[in-house]
Amino acid sequence: MENVIVEKRPDVLECDVVRFQNNKDKWVAFIGLLDGRPYEIFTGLQDDDEGIVLPKNVMSGKIIRCDCGDGGHRYDFQFENKRGYKTTVEGLSEKFNPEYWNYAKLISGVLRYGMPIENVIKLVGSLQLKDDSINTWTQGVVRALKKYVVGENADNNK
């Protein structure tokens, strides 16, 4: 399958929510999809105190790019609750550790320019970082992205 590079991010992208646990920490990844393929990733600790409160049944939604009016922008996550009402978690960029945010931006850039998912997984998995929590985070990102490897999905669905 040939990858098509989209230079300008659409204002709204479908999104999968992937939860994972490393050691005792609970993590969440918001994976923005373009034509069903990972296009960007927002991820970090799931922290109720910081506003990442999602019902356990929320597995998908939308990532919405919002212009702030000052030339900047933010990304919001929106999902429909069981009653059909839209709920929005504003400012994903503000919800996570800035170091994780920067690594996620780098990984998103690689995804946007069409690197095959298997290669993105190898790249992220090979990162040697000084901090154990970042190394734990990269393991979670690898696990979140593995669900998009076509061969593994086919094997897992048997």
Side-chain angles (χ1 to χ4, degrees), residues 11-94:
D11 288 337
V12 178
L13 286 177
E14 294 299 316
C15 169
D16 283 341
V17 177
V18 179
R19 292 171 182 83
F20 50 93
Q21 188 164 337
N22 281 324
N23 301 323
K24 293 181 181 176
D25 294 327
K26 291 182 180 178
W27 298 75
V28 61
F30 299 90
I31 301 175
L33 304 171
L34 183 66
D35 299 327
R37 183 187 187 285
Y39 180 81
E40 63 190 5
I41 186 167
F42 301 85
T43 186
L45 289 168
Q46 185 163 320
D47 185 350
D48 295 346
D49 293 337
E50 291 298 319
I52 303 292
V53 180
L54 295 176
K56 290 181 181 180
N57 67 324
V58 174
M59 305 303 283
S60 63
K62 297 179 186 317
I63 296 178
I64 303 166
R65 182 179 190 264
C66 301
D67 291 322
C68 297
D70 61 359
H73 57 271
R74 69 169 201 255
Y75 297 92
D76 298 343
F77 172 70
Q78 186 177 81
F79 64 95
E80 268 190 36
N81 67 19
K82 286 182 178 180
R83 295 186 192 110
Y85 292 105
K86 290 184 174 105
T87 302
T88 303
V89 178
E90 295 183 344
L92 287 179
S93 60
E94 304 302 317

Side-chain angles (χ1 to χ4, degrees), residues 87-127:
T87 302
T88 303
V89 178
E90 295 183 344
L92 287 179
S93 60
E94 304 302 317
K95 306 282 187 209
F96 298 127
N97 176 311
E99 190 171 4
Y100 302 144
W101 178 254
N102 284 323
Y103 286 120
K105 280 174 67 174
L106 179 64
I107 295 165
S108 294
V110 171
L111 289 169
R112 285 186 179 144
Y113 284 94
M115 180 183 272
I117 297 298
E118 297 88 343
N119 294 4
V120 176
I121 290 168
K122 285 179 191 171
L123 174 68
V124 174
S126 72
L127 293 175

